[in-house]
Amino acid sequence: MAKKICIANQKGGVGKTTTAINLSAALAVSEQKTLLVDCDPQANATSGVGIDKNEVEKTLYHGMIGTEKVQNLIVDSEIDTLKVIPSRVDLIGFEVEMMSETDRERALKTLLDEVESEFDYIILDCPPSLSLLTINAMTASDHLLIPLQCEFYALEGLSQLLQTVKRIKSYLNPGLKIAGILLTMFDKRTNLSFQVAENAEKYFKNLVFKTIVPRNIRLGEAPSFGKPILLYDAKSAGAKSYFELAREILDKSHLWEKPAEHEVFSEPGYS
């Protein structure tokens, strides 16, 4: 059965989609059958792997409202072992159309249950909000990966995300665990980046991944070419960091045995 990893943070610009695309690609070239699910109506993960969202006929939206089977939504990428369920702006309509449905928080889980046996990993990219789409992604996942940018106010709002996780564990998905916090946009030239990393490790301890994603020009350029960084510039620092993250997830089983969430919430300043 696939390990399902939701990548979420309600703050925008923290590296969620970059992480979803490049972690998926790194896992795929590591001989893991991987499915990338674009849960964001902006569809940046879709275009970031080279899929023209304007030419896709069926998207995640059609699966989540129940008008299309999940098998008909999956499309190929440039990497044979990486498949994609694309998104488009019409996904915004899901929240409105499903408002009166009693099991609306489990629509994505129900959809993915049909294909999880076909993949080793399913990576879900979330919108920059704690919306019904994000709640669906967390409900459908086994683990949550939180990108945290090494910039001012990085920790602001993180407690809200963690409290949402706590509620989802209580009411929708008791098995949801935090896989880890990924430090992104690290700039070794600034003291601020080191301070954010130090604070994250102080408060969250072994929840912080050893891998740190640097601020990297090539990493920022890759989406405009519709390629994961490993296909755009495999020798770049950004590509190396996501390979390291994939290895960390694949090789270290303790990443899937994190402390209970109440231990995280009890840390000072994040309860």
Side-chain angles (χ1 to χ4, degrees), residues 20-262:
I21 292 170
N22 293 300
L23 174 58
S24 297
L27 288 168
V29 300
S30 300
E31 301 181 346
Q32 303 295 309
K33 294 179 181 177
T34 305
L35 175 65
L36 172 60
V37 183
D38 191 348
C39 304
D40 188 348
Q42 295 178 84
N44 291 331
T46 299
S47 58
V49 292
I51 297 169
D52 187 342
K53 56 192 174 186
N54 296 316
E55 294 185 359
V56 176
E57 293 184 5
K58 302 296 182 181
T59 67
L60 181 62
Y61 164 76
H62 299 94
M64 290 185 70
I65 64 170
T67 62
E68 197 66 53
K69 287 187 173 296
V70 65
Q71 292 86 350
N72 298 332
L73 307 177
I74 298 172
V75 299
D76 295 332
S77 74
E78 284 189 67
I79 302 170
D80 290 341
T81 47
L82 175 60
K83 306 300 181 183
V84 183
I85 295 182
S87 178
R88 206 167 46 203
V89 68
D90 55 6
L91 187 57
I92 294 173
F94 166 76
E95 301 203 16
V96 176
E97 295 175 40
M98 299 293 286
M99 191 63 68
S100 61
E101 298 295 324
T102 56
D103 218 21
R104 59 187 179 274
E105 297 90 354
R106 293 185 174 87
L108 183 55
K109 174 176 170 51
T110 301
L111 187 72
L112 295 179
D113 279 350
E114 297 183 30
V115 292
E116 66 172 326
S117 62
E118 300 175 21
F119 296 94
D120 298 306
Y121 284 88
I122 298 177
I123 307 298
L124 299 92
D125 182 36
C126 293
S129 63
L130 297 178
S131 63
L132 182 57
L133 287 167
T134 300
I135 290 170
N136 260 267
M138 290 186 186
T139 302
S141 298
D142 307 309
H143 295 89
L144 170 66
L145 188 157
I146 305 171
L148 186 72
Q149 83 280 27
C150 294
E151 296 180 351
F152 199 62
Y153 294 136
L155 298 175
E156 186 180 71
L158 190 55
S159 61
Q160 184 182 0
L161 174 63
L162 296 177
Q163 290 299 326
T164 298
V165 173
K166 193 173 183 179
R167 287 192 293 271
I168 287 174
K169 281 177 63 68
S170 296
Y171 300 108
L172 295 168
N173 185 5
L176 182 64
K177 296 180 180 179
I178 297 179
I181 293 172
L182 177 67
L183 298 175
T184 64
M185 304 178 188
F186 186 90
D187 189 342
K188 63 183 180 181
R189 300 170 300 178
T190 68
N191 290 331
L192 180 59
S193 284
F194 288 97
Q195 289 171 1
V196 172
E198 182 180 340
N199 286 337
E201 290 172 2
K202 174 183 176 183
Y203 291 125
F204 302 110
K205 299 179 174 60
N206 63 337
L207 279 176
V208 181
F209 283 103
K210 290 183 173 62
T211 299
I212 295 178
V213 180
R215 184 173 290 281
N216 180 250
I217 292 174
R218 304 296 276 175
L219 197 56
E221 291 174 346
S224 64
F225 290 87
K227 293 181 181 293
I229 186 62
L230 64 90
L231 295 183
Y232 180 64
D233 187 351
K235 295 182 180 180
S236 68
K240 291 176 182 177
S241 67
Y242 280 108
F243 273 120
E244 288 172 5
L245 178 63
R247 282 196 297 268
E248 197 170 351
I249 287 174
L250 287 169
D251 296 342
K252 297 185 178 180
S253 60
H254 73 270
L255 288 174
W256 310 112
E257 299 173 1
K258 294 298 183 182
E261 268 63 26
H262 71 269

